[in-house]
Amino acid sequence: MKAVWERYLKDVATKKEQYAAAKKELNEHRDYLGLVKGFLAAIFDEVLAEVAQETNAILAGVPNVQHVTVAFETEVETLSGTVKQAITPVVSVNGSKVPLRSGLSGGQAVSVELAVDVALGSIVSRRTGVVPGFLVLDESLDGLDLVSKEGALDVLGKAVQDRLILVVDHAIEVKERFSQVLQVEFAGGRSTVV
């Protein structure tokens, strides 16, 4: 009986050692994950600042939004006082913060969104070394007057050099800006290229 009891105590001691080792390893993993999370958050904020800087450089070249700037916040305080991780665009017009949707006209909002998309694509390409050979824009010029469309197309042309740009748009007033235009008609329940 004594031998069984001693074996039991030895097993308990072994399990305690294993538990302590596992707990130590778990804490080391948590510390490591905390460092990685902090590092990634720092890089994430750095990339967002870069996106904002490049977006603002693009906006400066588009007539209807030359006076608009964009920044990004990554934390938001909720009504209950807790902090929530989120990306919030902060738009300023002539230095005064405005809501993205209600503080800008429809055409201005379209220009800002296009500039952010182009800037983000450019930065991801630079940081990864992978440059997509094409860019697809669906109604990205909607709501812009002719001068603003021309400005947006100028900026877009500079930003995406040597890439195929496929623009889907109902307006035809800028079609001469493109090397190839496909006109699609919808009749009898079918879309056809004419």
Side-chain angles (χ1 to χ4, degrees):
M1 186 69 140
K2 186 177 179 179
V4 172
W5 180 250
E6 286 175 0
R7 213 173 348 135
Y8 173 75
L9 289 177
K10 188 176 179 180
D11 285 346
V12 168
T14 301
K15 297 292 183 198
K16 282 182 179 181
E17 288 173 8
Q18 290 172 342
Y19 173 76
K23 188 174 179 181
K24 180 182 176 189
E25 186 177 349
L26 178 62
N27 286 335
E28 289 171 354
H29 284 295
R30 285 183 180 153
D31 291 345
Y32 175 74
L33 289 174
L35 288 172
V36 169
K37 185 177 178 183
F39 176 72
L40 292 176
I43 289 176
F44 191 72
D45 287 343
E46 175 186 317
V47 170
L48 283 178
E50 194 176 340
V51 170
Q53 182 179 9
E54 189 147 336
T55 297
N56 293 331
I58 293 169
L59 293 175
V62 182
N64 70 328
V65 287
Q66 289 176 332
H67 58 295
V68 176
T69 58
V70 175
F72 298 97
E73 294 177 349
T74 57
E75 291 183 346
V76 176
E77 187 172 337
T78 64
L79 293 176
S80 64
T82 60
V83 175
K84 175 180 138 185
Q85 291 293 114
I87 301 172
T88 306
V90 179
V91 178
S92 297
V93 176
N94 293 322
S96 299
K97 289 183 182 180
V98 299
L100 177 60
R101 291 291 172 205
S102 62
L104 300 174
S105 70
Q108 288 173 323
V110 166
S111 294
V112 168
E113 289 170 1
L114 179 60
V116 170
D117 289 346
V118 170
L120 186 58
S122 175
I123 290 162
V124 168
S125 294
R126 254 194 328 269
R127 285 180 171 256
T128 63
V130 177
V131 179
F134 63 92
L135 176 66
V136 178
L137 302 172
D138 186 12
E139 301 292 335
S140 294
L141 304 174
D142 192 37
L144 298 178
D145 60 42
L146 184 57
V147 172
S148 298
K149 278 185 184 183
E150 292 285 344
L153 289 172
D154 286 341
V155 169
L156 187 60
K158 291 175 195 168
V160 292
Q161 300 168 359
D162 302 325
R163 285 195 248 174
L164 169 68
I165 305 171
L166 176 62
V167 178
V168 178
D169 203 298
H170 292 282
I172 59 170
E173 65 267 9
V174 292
K175 72 179 183 181
E176 67 280 349
R177 295 282 308 261
F178 298 93
S179 60
Q180 187 173 8
V181 176
L182 298 175
Q183 187 173 337
V184 179
E185 286 185 0
F186 183 76
R190 292 186 62 186
S191 294
T192 55
V193 177
V194 292

